[in-house]
Amino acid sequence: MAAQGEPLIELRHVGQHFPAGDGAPIRVLEDIDLAVRPGEILAVLGRSGCGKSTLLRILCGLARPSTGRVLYKGRAVHGAQPGIAMVFQGFALFPWLDVLGNVELGLEALGVPVRERRARALAMIDLIGLDGFESAYPKELSGGMRQRVGFARALAVNPEVLLMDEAFSALDVPTAEGLRSDLLDLWLERQMSTRAIVMVSHDIEEALLLADRLIVMDSNPGRVKSEIAVKLAHPRDRDAAAFRRLTDAVYGAMTGAAGAPPLRATGIGYRLPSAAVGQMLGVLEPLRQQADGALDLAVLAEDMQMAVDDLFPILEALELLDLARVAGQRVAITPHGRGFIEADILRRKVIFGEHLVQRVPLIAHIRRVLDERRRRRAPRSRFLRELEDTLSEDEALRVLAVATDWGRYAEIIAYDDADGVFSYDNPGQER
């Protein structure tokens, strides 16, 4: 299909903010302008935490934006819309209902008469490939079949707009491939009433296989960073040169242009990426083996069998610590990174610790507090309160956990979980 006509959904200067302790509000989305037109599959990509799922919930009326307007067919959205349906990542089925009961649920909520909703539900079960499983319960179904029930339930209400929140990410690769292919066939052959699809994905290739247009979002706060048209005929060949060029373009859009300044943490509330030291070592090793110390991001992701949400936090951590540098579509090991990966275990800890203190304000702050205290001990709660001035409670917990793990590896801080207290790694240690 080709996108045409007036937008089905519009976001105009939409923002989403949440309170955070006594500090400034947390800005999840900021000044989003977006139009979803009939005849298109639109994919939304971005790093973890950029607000993709929040954006989807605003589109369907499940969340109300803090600022801006949401329009569906020219009218303001205030709550859930009958013409918009969503497929969730986690199946979201009721275990006490069989397949037929789960598919009928949305129709029942709309007040569709019993006979009509039964006929529509059965027709959709057949269309989505579940004929014969009407009386089966979710516990009897595979993950792929449970997600098919989710699709059938969403499509049974004849939505004009179908929203998918990482709908294939919980499935194994073959199952996800099969379900994506079946959905695309239904779309291209116009066997469903849906006029537009908006999908959130963490998989660049998945988005390029399905979508006509890609929106790449920036983080902190989430903004539309770039838009990429996908003018490739279906079925699409992921090994074709044009497909690979688009893949590289998307990676480049998500990482920033070559020549951009190095990544730096801006304060103790910087959202440290969730990356383990072992994962960083796993990325540095193949870079070290290259003659120029660099690889295309798409090649690295394929070699390591990692999706965007898995790879990018590791790259962000490496860049933050000056162990690797991401520029455009490539990532290269730095001299510090090469020294780190080629050192023995003890030397690695020393190098890592030096970079943590120099480049991660939260860890430097924890150590300063320890230095100021006679017993060189400080409660975890103290740092959580400080983080919650700029972060949500959950995000503060996550960020402090990352800093704790990194500091423990380098042996520059210790943490006693039973007492909830930070200290130096060795008794009497001061640095």
Side-chain angles (χ1 to χ4, degrees):
M1 298 185 192
Q4 56 187 344
E6 294 298 317
L8 288 170
I9 306 179
E10 286 184 274
L11 301 185
R12 296 181 180 176
H13 304 294
V14 162
Q16 187 68 287
H17 311 149
F18 298 104
D22 297 328
I26 299 168
R27 297 186 299 158
V28 177
L29 298 173
E30 192 73 25
D31 199 27
I32 302 286
D33 285 319
L34 184 63
V36 180
R37 299 186 180 278
E40 74 170 345
I41 299 179
L42 172 65
V44 181
L45 293 168
R47 301 189 185 194
S48 180
C50 71
K52 301 186 298 291
S53 294
T54 301
L55 177 66
L56 214 59
R57 281 157 175 75
I58 289 173
L59 281 172
C60 70
L62 291 180
R64 184 175 182 178
S66 304
T67 59
R69 301 179 66 202
V70 184
L71 303 177
Y72 174 52
K73 299 169 71 172
R75 296 184 178 181
V77 170
H78 301 291
Q81 300 297 303
I84 305 173
M86 184 183 290
V87 180
F88 298 92
Q89 175 183 352
F91 311 139
L93 303 181
F94 291 100
W96 59 87
L97 295 177
D98 59 18
V99 168
L100 182 59
N102 270 287
V103 175
E104 284 186 321
L105 204 59
L107 296 169
E108 184 178 355
L110 293 175
V112 176
V114 174
R115 181 174 296 180
E116 181 184 349
R117 74 174 182 243
R118 178 63 50 89
R120 285 168 62 175
L122 288 171
M124 197 53 57
I125 288 170
D126 184 41
L127 183 66
I128 209 69
L130 288 171
D131 190 26
F133 290 89
E134 293 86 353
S135 60
Y137 287 86
K139 67 180 181 181
E140 303 175 67
L141 305 176
S142 67
M145 294 174 75
R146 289 198 293 271
Q147 193 62 305
R148 286 180 184 271
V149 177
F151 273 103
R153 181 176 57 194
L155 295 175
V157 300
N158 295 328
E160 286 192 289
V161 182
L162 179 66
L163 308 179
M164 302 191 303
D165 189 4
E166 299 194 18
F168 309 104
S169 64
L171 307 175
D172 60 78
V173 173
T175 301
E177 290 275 4
L179 188 51
R180 277 197 299 265
S181 178
D182 288 347
L183 177 67
L184 186 60
D185 287 344
L186 293 175
W187 169 259
L188 295 175
E189 295 167 10
R190 302 189 179 184
Q191 294 186 47
M192 54 186 185
S193 61
T194 303
R195 300 172 65 199
I197 296 175
V198 183
M199 57 182 288
V200 160
S201 179
H202 67 276
D203 187 323
I204 290 175
E205 283 200 351
E206 174 183 275
L208 288 173
L209 287 169
L210 294 177
D212 307 295
R213 184 164 59 107
L214 273 62
I215 295 296
V216 177
M217 293 185 64
D218 208 348
S219 303
N220 304 321
R223 294 187 178 95
V224 175
K225 187 176 184 180
S226 60
E227 180 178 321
I228 299 173
V230 185
K231 298 179 179 179
L232 300 177
H234 290 287
R236 294 170 181 169
D237 180 3
R238 51 168 52 96
D239 294 320
F243 191 96
R244 302 312 301 174
R245 283 194 296 270
L246 276 171
T247 302
D248 290 341
V250 177
Y251 271 108
M254 294 184 71
T255 57
L263 182 67
R264 297 197 69 87
T266 53
I268 67 168
Y270 182 87
R271 290 177 170 84
L272 298 175
S274 295
V277 177
Q279 293 175 317
M280 298 184 216
L281 291 167
V283 169
L284 288 174
E285 185 58 38
L287 296 178
R288 180 179 72 91
Q289 295 173 2
Q290 304 303 310
D292 61 352
L295 277 171
D296 287 345
L297 288 170
V299 173
L300 179 62
E302 185 175 350
D303 288 349
M304 301 197 69
Q305 298 183 336
M306 281 189 168
V308 173
D309 275 5
D310 299 321
L311 180 60
F312 277 1
I314 305 170
L315 297 177
E316 182 180 348
L318 289 170
E319 189 168 17
L320 181 66
L321 298 174
D322 194 25
L323 302 177
R325 179 81 169 92
V326 179
Q329 302 157 14
R330 289 175 69 77
V331 56
I333 195 169
T334 64
H336 291 299
R338 188 174 292 279
F340 174 63
I341 193 66
E342 293 179 351
D344 61 30
I345 293 176
L346 294 179
R347 180 60 185 159
R348 281 181 182 176
K349 290 177 177 289
V350 172
I351 294 171
F352 200 76
E354 290 172 348
H355 283 241
L356 288 179
V357 173
Q358 293 168 6
R359 303 182 66 86
V360 181
L362 176 57
I363 291 180
H365 174 60
I366 292 172
R367 287 175 57 81
R368 279 195 300 271
V369 171
L370 295 177
D371 284 337
E372 292 167 358
R373 300 198 170 198
R374 183 175 59 84
R375 297 181 60 202
R376 307 298 188 246
R377 292 165 60 85
R380 173 175 176 262
S381 57
R382 177 242 168 90
F383 302 108
L384 278 176
R385 285 196 301 270
E386 292 178 312
L387 289 174
E388 287 171 6
D389 284 342
T390 54
L391 303 174
S392 68
E393 182 178 344
D394 287 345
E395 187 68 352
L397 287 166
R398 186 195 65 79
V399 167
L400 190 56
V402 171
T404 303
D405 287 346
W406 290 359
R408 278 172 156 174
Y409 169 81
E411 298 184 10
I412 60 171
I413 58 173
Y415 175 66
D416 186 329
D417 188 57
D419 294 335
V421 171
F422 283 100
S423 63
Y424 279 128
D425 184 70
N426 298 311
Q429 176 188 18
E430 297 182 35
R431 297 181 185 176

